[in-house]
Amino acid sequence: MGPDQHVSTAEPQQSSSDEPETALETARRQLARARSNLEIDDAIHERLRHPRAVHEVTVPLERDDGSVDVFTGYRAQHDSVRGPYKGGLRYHPEVTRDECVGLAMWMTWKCAVMDIPFGGAKGGVVVDPKSLSADEKERLTRRFMQEIRGVIGPTKDIPAPDMGTDPQTMAWLMDAYSMQEGETIPGVVTGKPPAIGGSKGRERAPGRSVAIVTRKTCEYFDYPLSETTVAVQGFGSVGANAARLLDEWGADVVAVSDVNGGIYDPDGLEVGAIPSHDEEPEAVTRYAEETDVSRLSNDELLELDVDVLVPAAVGNVLTEDNAAAVDADLVVEGANGPTTFAADAILEEREIPVIPDILANAGGVTVSYFEWLQDINRRRWSLERVHEELDSEMVTAWNAVREEVEQRDVTWRDGAYVVALSRIAEAHDIRGLWP
Ligand code: NAD
């Protein structure tokens, strides 16, 4: 193990049930819960509680005025028993080692539930991206790649965009890696611009998968889409794309929101007329000012009497305080971790199915996998092919989870973790522990 790799066995601070959970707490709680539904070797469980490695680096940056600042960067690699590590890189002032570890664990489960041959990783730089000029961001990105290059690669660990990073950031990472290798290696990162090997349909994929999973779930619970009402919190990459597709497929999207509040029309909104967060930030509230549509708060949106609630904005919005007031028949998680552990228990008690994030929004990592396949095969897929294959992968994963839900009489979240963990544990068992 190199000097920059540390494996901590320290437990994260336990938060009380009404406080937001950290990503690491949630990931370990889910692992423990999934394990209680499965026969899993103690040693394998213990290995999965810890990351394989966490790389911590310092990233010196020459500012535009000639001064030098030094930033901390991380790459947490959780488990690679099923294939190379995969996961986002974020630029955010609150990035921490433990957050990277928790999110890397989450990626392991997400790849496994989708049966994608990747393991989980996450990384980032502790920096406020808004404090960087475009040139500074480029220099920081290239230097960060240089610092972590030994542990990154198309068959080792493949980063992707996350908070504060975007397709241009991925292009700089890919260029910095390729320049040092002496050849163009597009498969080292995903979420790139299409001109350099990015996949068609990548950016809209998480929202598309949320819509596909909602459609399947409505079919299963006998809600014909044409008679189904949906409320979507958050109108960004995930929320807007999910809302627009569900609208296109015949559902009535009755409420949507942005950070400033939401809008509501019981007969269905014209979601195609509202710009998404990417197209025009905070356009939902502006749309409300320009039309006479009814307004409601984000809290009220979560408690609307609808068939399907899709929290697709941020984590920890369904909590111990409001879970008893949720009036939707089904919840489909668009955001990562929108439901706290305590809220989950209340919704389970109330028999409201919650389709978990690791299944519902996994379209992003699935199309990242398609991008990687296209890159290593030097072959482009049409948008139609991406959509077809995504639909098929999502339906297959949804069915695998449904089988566990039916056979074991567990929640949808437990079913998804059982699918993921049994695949990972089986691979560990067959490969064995060496030496
Ligand atoms: P985004 O930035 O594109 O959009 C977020 C939307 O939520 C915006 O409309 C914003 O105004 C709104 N919002 C922000 N804070 C809010 C708050 N406190 N209350 C209500 N609304 C709020 O983000 P995104 O990419 O759509 O991501 C949303 C969630 O989905 C996040 O949890 C993210 O981790 C998760 N996710 C994103 C992707 C992806 O590839 N984009 C993939 C999987 C999961």
Side-chain angles (χ1 to χ4, degrees):
M1 185 177 289
D4 57 349
Q5 295 168 283
H6 316 281
V7 175
S8 156
T9 53
E11 282 294 323
Q13 290 275 305
Q14 280 288 320
S15 56
S16 77
S17 59
D18 56 352
E19 276 174 13
E21 292 157 4
T22 69
L24 185 52
E25 268 172 38
T26 308
R28 285 195 172 145
R29 274 176 161 172
Q30 293 301 356
L31 172 62
R33 202 175 147 127
R35 187 202 178 198
S36 67
N37 287 308
L38 281 172
E39 287 293 306
I40 287 197
D41 191 75
D42 285 352
I44 292 175
H45 171 249
E46 190 56 25
R47 283 169 78 184
L48 290 172
R49 293 184 71 250
H50 308 288
R52 169 105 181 265
V54 183
H55 307 278
E56 178 175 340
V57 296
T58 46
V59 193
L61 166 71
E62 183 174 344
R63 309 299 300 231
D64 291 340
D65 65 5
S67 63
V68 173
D69 283 331
V70 180
F71 297 92
T72 302
Y74 298 101
R75 185 69 178 169
Q77 298 174 327
H78 174 241
D79 182 81
S80 65
V81 72
R82 306 177 76 251
Y85 299 105
K86 183 93 194 76
L89 271 185
R90 50 177 59 173
Y91 290 176
H92 193 275
E94 278 153 35
V95 166
T96 64
R97 180 193 179 285
D98 273 1
E99 182 192 61
C100 291
V101 172
L103 296 173
M105 289 174 75
W106 233 329
M107 282 303 295
T108 304
W109 321 139
K110 202 181 265 198
C111 292
V113 81
M114 293 307 301
D115 213 2
I116 293 172
F118 288 143
K122 201 74 159 198
V125 178
V126 188
V127 62
D128 178 1
K130 291 193 201 103
S131 71
L132 302 170
S133 70
D135 286 349
E136 288 171 341
K137 190 170 178 185
E138 177 174 353
R139 288 198 290 277
L140 181 81
T141 300
R142 289 179 181 277
R143 181 63 188 243
F144 182 47
M145 175 50 103
Q146 185 58 26
E147 297 297 340
I148 57 171
R149 80 165 25 256
V151 297
I152 299 291
T155 56
K156 285 187 192 166
D157 184 349
I158 305 135
D162 205 277
M163 280 160 66
T165 58
D166 58 13
Q168 178 61 66
T169 323
M170 297 303 114
W172 291 324
L173 288 169
M174 179 274 217
D175 187 65
Y177 185 82
S178 299
M179 295 300 281
Q180 290 284 338
E181 295 294 312
E183 59 179 306
T184 295
I185 305 179
V188 66
V189 289
T190 60
K192 300 177 295 294
I196 55 164
S199 180
K200 293 197 166 91
R202 167 66 184 82
E203 286 194 60
R204 296 187 171 182
R208 177 168 279 269
S209 71
V210 170
I212 295 167
V213 164
T214 305
R215 187 193 71 207
K216 280 301 295 177
T217 309
C218 285
E219 259 170 49
Y220 182 73
F221 285 104
D222 238 350
Y223 287 79
L225 264 195
S226 58
E227 294 164 26
T228 297
T229 54
V230 185
V232 181
Q233 185 188 46
F235 208 64
S237 184
V238 178
N241 285 309
R244 286 171 183 175
L245 270 178
L246 288 168
D247 174 64
E248 207 179 299
W249 295 342
D252 280 331
V253 179
V254 296
V256 298
S257 71
D258 64 28
V259 66
N260 301 319
I263 54 178
Y264 176 59
D265 182 342
D267 297 326
L269 295 159
E270 247 194 90
V271 281
I274 311 164
S276 74
H277 182 75
D278 304 329
E279 291 153 0
E280 192 190 319
E282 276 86 71
V284 174
T285 28
R286 234 177 341 269
Y287 177 83
E289 280 156 19
E290 289 158 14
T291 58
D292 56 4
V293 67
S294 308
R295 302 181 71 156
L296 80 180
S297 69
N298 267 298
D299 290 344
E300 288 165 335
L301 183 147
L302 296 171
E303 295 172 11
L304 271 180
D305 178 8
V306 285
D307 297 316
V308 186
L309 171 65
V310 182
V314 287
N316 295 316
V317 294
L318 296 176
T319 65
E320 194 176 27
D321 297 334
N322 64 3
V326 167
D327 211 3
D329 296 351
L330 306 166
V331 176
V332 179
E333 294 186 331
N336 283 327
T339 314
T340 66
F341 208 74
D344 227 14
I346 296 169
L347 294 171
E348 180 181 357
E349 174 83 30
R350 296 185 57 213
E351 296 183 6
I352 298 176
V354 179
I355 314 299
D357 46 10
I358 59 164
L359 172 66
N361 70 30
V365 72
T366 305
V367 176
S368 270
Y369 168 55
F370 297 164
E371 180 172 331
W372 181 79
L373 286 176
Q374 293 171 64
D375 291 340
I376 60 176
N377 289 298
R378 300 289 202 256
R379 195 123 194 230
R380 296 278 139 254
W381 293 9
S382 66
L383 184 61
E384 291 68 34
R385 178 163 177 198
V386 169
H387 285 172
E388 247 171 55
E389 300 237 5
L390 177 61
D391 206 281
S392 148
E393 297 288 336
M394 294 311 306
V395 170
T396 303
W398 186 90
N399 273 320
V401 173
R402 178 195 40 81
E403 271 175 31
E404 295 297 343
V405 168
E406 287 175 352
Q407 276 171 21
R408 293 173 191 270
D409 194 20
V410 291
T411 65
W412 287 77
R413 189 181 314 280
D414 287 343
Y417 278 88
V418 163
V419 169
L421 191 58
S422 51
R423 287 175 178 158
I424 297 161
E426 188 186 4
H428 272 289
D429 196 36
I430 293 170
R431 283 184 61 170
L433 178 60
W434 180 82

Short mmCIF file of all heavy atoms in Angstrom, two decimals, residues 110 202 206 233-239 257-259 277-278 282 298 312-315 334-336 361, ligand 1:
data_model
loop_
_atom_site.label_atom_id
_atom_site.label_comp_id
_atom_site.label_asym_id
_atom_site.label_seq_id
_atom_site.Cartn_x
_atom_site.Cartn_y
_atom_site.Cartn_z
N LYS A 110 -24.82 0.40 -6.92
CA LYS A 110 -25.54 0.84 -8.12
C LYS A 110 -25.08 0.06 -9.35
O LYS A 110 -25.90 -0.42 -10.15
CB LYS A 110 -25.30 2.35 -8.32
CG LYS A 110 -26.36 3.03 -9.16
CD LYS A 110 -26.06 4.50 -9.35
CE LYS A 110 -26.77 5.38 -8.35
NZ LYS A 110 -26.83 6.80 -8.75
N ARG A 202 -26.15 10.69 -22.91
CA ARG A 202 -25.58 10.49 -21.57
C ARG A 202 -26.19 11.45 -20.55
O ARG A 202 -26.56 11.05 -19.46
CB ARG A 202 -24.05 10.65 -21.64
CG ARG A 202 -23.35 10.79 -20.30
CD ARG A 202 -23.45 9.55 -19.44
NE ARG A 202 -22.85 9.70 -18.12
CZ ARG A 202 -23.43 10.27 -17.08
NH1 ARG A 202 -24.66 10.77 -17.18
NH2 ARG A 202 -22.82 10.35 -15.92
N PRO A 206 -30.00 9.80 -16.60
CA PRO A 206 -30.57 9.55 -15.26
C PRO A 206 -32.06 9.87 -15.21
O PRO A 206 -32.84 9.11 -14.63
CB PRO A 206 -29.77 10.49 -14.34
CG PRO A 206 -28.52 10.79 -15.09
CD PRO A 206 -28.89 10.76 -16.55
N GLN A 233 -40.08 16.83 -7.55
CA GLN A 233 -39.33 17.90 -6.88
C GLN A 233 -37.97 18.06 -7.54
O GLN A 233 -37.22 17.09 -7.67
CB GLN A 233 -39.12 17.58 -5.40
CG GLN A 233 -38.44 18.75 -4.69
CD GLN A 233 -38.03 18.43 -3.26
OE1 GLN A 233 -37.46 17.39 -2.99
NE2 GLN A 233 -38.31 19.35 -2.36
N GLY A 234 -37.66 19.31 -7.96
CA GLY A 234 -36.39 19.55 -8.66
C GLY A 234 -36.63 19.46 -10.16
O GLY A 234 -37.21 18.49 -10.65
N PHE A 235 -36.20 20.50 -10.89
CA PHE A 235 -36.43 20.50 -12.34
C PHE A 235 -35.10 20.63 -13.06
O PHE A 235 -34.92 21.46 -13.94
CB PHE A 235 -37.40 21.63 -12.71
CG PHE A 235 -38.20 21.33 -13.96
CD1 PHE A 235 -39.09 20.27 -13.98
CD2 PHE A 235 -38.05 22.10 -15.10
CE1 PHE A 235 -39.82 19.98 -15.13
CE2 PHE A 235 -38.78 21.83 -16.25
CZ PHE A 235 -39.67 20.76 -16.26
N GLY A 236 -34.14 19.79 -12.63
CA GLY A 236 -32.81 19.82 -13.25
C GLY A 236 -32.63 18.67 -14.20
O GLY A 236 -33.59 18.16 -14.79
N SER A 237 -31.39 18.25 -14.31
CA SER A 237 -31.03 17.19 -15.23
C SER A 237 -31.91 15.95 -15.01
O SER A 237 -32.42 15.36 -15.96
CB SER A 237 -29.56 16.88 -14.98
OG SER A 237 -29.11 15.95 -15.84
N VAL A 238 -32.11 15.57 -13.77
CA VAL A 238 -32.90 14.38 -13.48
C VAL A 238 -34.40 14.69 -13.54
O VAL A 238 -35.15 14.06 -14.28
CB VAL A 238 -32.53 13.80 -12.09
CG1 VAL A 238 -33.37 12.58 -11.77
CG2 VAL A 238 -31.04 13.45 -12.03
N GLY A 239 -34.84 15.69 -12.75
CA GLY A 239 -36.27 15.97 -12.62
C GLY A 239 -36.93 16.39 -13.93
O GLY A 239 -37.99 15.87 -14.29
N SER A 257 -40.91 21.64 -9.23
CA SER A 257 -40.37 22.73 -8.41
C SER A 257 -38.90 22.97 -8.71
O SER A 257 -38.25 22.13 -9.34
CB SER A 257 -40.51 22.41 -6.91
OG SER A 257 -39.62 21.37 -6.56
N ASP A 258 -38.41 24.14 -8.27
CA ASP A 258 -36.98 24.37 -8.20
C ASP A 258 -36.66 24.79 -6.78
O ASP A 258 -37.53 24.73 -5.90
CB ASP A 258 -36.49 25.37 -9.28
CG ASP A 258 -37.08 26.75 -9.10
OD1 ASP A 258 -37.41 27.12 -7.95
OD2 ASP A 258 -37.20 27.49 -10.09
N VAL A 259 -35.44 25.27 -6.55
CA VAL A 259 -35.02 25.56 -5.18
C VAL A 259 -35.91 26.63 -4.51
O VAL A 259 -36.08 26.64 -3.29
CB VAL A 259 -33.52 25.93 -5.15
CG1 VAL A 259 -33.27 27.24 -5.88
CG2 VAL A 259 -32.97 25.98 -3.74
N HIS A 277 -33.38 23.32 -15.36
CA HIS A 277 -32.33 24.03 -14.64
C HIS A 277 -31.11 24.27 -15.53
O HIS A 277 -30.49 25.33 -15.49
CB HIS A 277 -31.94 23.22 -13.40
CG HIS A 277 -30.90 23.87 -12.54
ND1 HIS A 277 -31.17 24.94 -11.72
CD2 HIS A 277 -29.58 23.62 -12.41
CE1 HIS A 277 -30.07 25.31 -11.10
NE2 HIS A 277 -29.08 24.53 -11.50
N ASP A 278 -30.78 23.27 -16.35
CA ASP A 278 -29.61 23.41 -17.25
C ASP A 278 -29.87 24.48 -18.30
O ASP A 278 -28.97 25.22 -18.68
CB ASP A 278 -29.31 22.09 -17.98
CG ASP A 278 -29.11 20.95 -17.01
OD1 ASP A 278 -28.63 21.22 -15.90
OD2 ASP A 278 -29.44 19.80 -17.36
N GLU A 282 -33.54 28.07 -12.19
CA GLU A 282 -34.69 28.59 -11.44
C GLU A 282 -35.83 29.10 -12.34
O GLU A 282 -36.49 30.09 -12.04
CB GLU A 282 -34.27 29.69 -10.46
CG GLU A 282 -33.77 29.15 -9.14
CD GLU A 282 -32.28 28.79 -9.17
OE1 GLU A 282 -31.47 29.69 -9.21
OE2 GLU A 282 -31.95 27.58 -9.15
N ASN A 298 -41.93 23.75 -1.64
CA ASN A 298 -41.34 22.42 -1.81
C ASN A 298 -41.87 21.45 -0.76
O ASN A 298 -42.08 20.28 -1.06
CB ASN A 298 -39.81 22.52 -1.74
CG ASN A 298 -39.21 22.67 -3.13
OD1 ASN A 298 -39.36 21.80 -3.98
ND2 ASN A 298 -38.57 23.80 -3.38
N ALA A 312 -36.46 14.62 -6.83
CA ALA A 312 -35.34 14.57 -7.79
C ALA A 312 -34.47 15.81 -7.66
O ALA A 312 -33.91 16.28 -8.66
CB ALA A 312 -35.89 14.44 -9.21
N ALA A 313 -34.37 16.36 -6.43
CA ALA A 313 -33.59 17.60 -6.28
C ALA A 313 -32.33 17.36 -5.45
O ALA A 313 -31.21 17.45 -5.97
CB ALA A 313 -34.45 18.67 -5.62
N VAL A 314 -32.51 17.06 -4.18
CA VAL A 314 -31.38 16.91 -3.26
C VAL A 314 -31.67 15.75 -2.29
O VAL A 314 -32.78 15.22 -2.27
CB VAL A 314 -31.13 18.20 -2.43
CG1 VAL A 314 -30.52 19.30 -3.28
CG2 VAL A 314 -32.41 18.68 -1.76
N GLY A 315 -30.68 15.40 -1.48
CA GLY A 315 -30.87 14.32 -0.52
C GLY A 315 -31.61 14.78 0.73
O GLY A 315 -31.81 15.97 0.96
N GLY A 334 -35.53 9.99 -7.49
CA GLY A 334 -34.73 10.52 -8.60
C GLY A 334 -33.39 11.02 -8.10
O GLY A 334 -32.34 10.78 -8.71
N ALA A 335 -33.39 11.73 -6.97
CA ALA A 335 -32.15 12.23 -6.37
C ALA A 335 -31.43 11.08 -5.68
O ALA A 335 -32.00 10.01 -5.47
CB ALA A 335 -32.46 13.33 -5.35
N ASN A 336 -30.18 11.31 -5.31
CA ASN A 336 -29.46 10.34 -4.49
C ASN A 336 -29.82 10.58 -3.02
O ASN A 336 -29.71 11.70 -2.53
CB ASN A 336 -27.95 10.51 -4.67
CG ASN A 336 -27.47 9.92 -5.98
OD1 ASN A 336 -28.00 8.91 -6.46
ND2 ASN A 336 -26.48 10.55 -6.57
N ASN A 361 -32.23 5.98 -10.60
CA ASN A 361 -31.43 6.96 -11.35
C ASN A 361 -30.15 6.36 -11.92
O ASN A 361 -29.25 7.09 -12.33
CB ASN A 361 -31.17 8.23 -10.52
CG ASN A 361 -30.21 8.00 -9.35
OD1 ASN A 361 -29.34 7.14 -9.40
ND2 ASN A 361 -30.37 8.79 -8.29
P1 NAD B 1 -29.46 19.94 -11.16
O1 NAD B 1 -28.53 20.87 -10.52
O2 NAD B 1 -29.47 19.79 -12.64
O3 NAD B 1 -30.97 20.31 -10.71
C1 NAD B 1 -31.37 20.37 -9.38
C2 NAD B 1 -32.77 20.94 -9.32
O4 NAD B 1 -33.21 20.91 -7.95
C3 NAD B 1 -32.88 22.40 -9.73
O5 NAD B 1 -34.15 22.63 -10.33
C4 NAD B 1 -32.76 23.16 -8.40
O6 NAD B 1 -33.37 24.46 -8.45
C5 NAD B 1 -33.53 22.23 -7.49
N1 NAD B 1 -33.13 22.33 -6.08
C6 NAD B 1 -31.90 22.56 -5.56
N2 NAD B 1 -31.93 22.57 -4.22
C7 NAD B 1 -33.21 22.33 -3.87
C8 NAD B 1 -33.90 22.22 -2.64
N3 NAD B 1 -33.24 22.35 -1.48
N4 NAD B 1 -35.24 21.97 -2.67
C9 NAD B 1 -35.89 21.83 -3.82
N5 NAD B 1 -35.30 21.93 -5.03
C10 NAD B 1 -33.98 22.18 -5.04
O7 NAD B 1 -29.21 18.51 -10.44
P2 NAD B 1 -29.42 17.06 -11.04
O8 NAD B 1 -28.22 16.68 -11.84
O9 NAD B 1 -30.78 16.95 -11.65
O10 NAD B 1 -29.35 16.18 -9.71
C11 NAD B 1 -30.44 16.09 -8.82
C12 NAD B 1 -30.24 14.89 -7.91
O11 NAD B 1 -30.07 13.70 -8.68
C13 NAD B 1 -29.00 14.95 -7.02
O12 NAD B 1 -29.27 14.27 -5.83
C14 NAD B 1 -27.96 14.18 -7.81
O13 NAD B 1 -26.95 13.64 -6.99
C15 NAD B 1 -28.84 13.08 -8.38
N6 NAD B 1 -28.30 12.44 -9.57
C16 NAD B 1 -27.86 13.15 -10.65
C17 NAD B 1 -27.34 12.47 -11.74
C18 NAD B 1 -26.83 13.22 -12.95
O14 NAD B 1 -26.09 12.62 -13.72
N7 NAD B 1 -27.22 14.47 -13.16
C19 NAD B 1 -27.29 11.09 -11.76
C20 NAD B 1 -27.78 10.37 -10.66
C21 NAD B 1 -28.28 11.07 -9.57
#
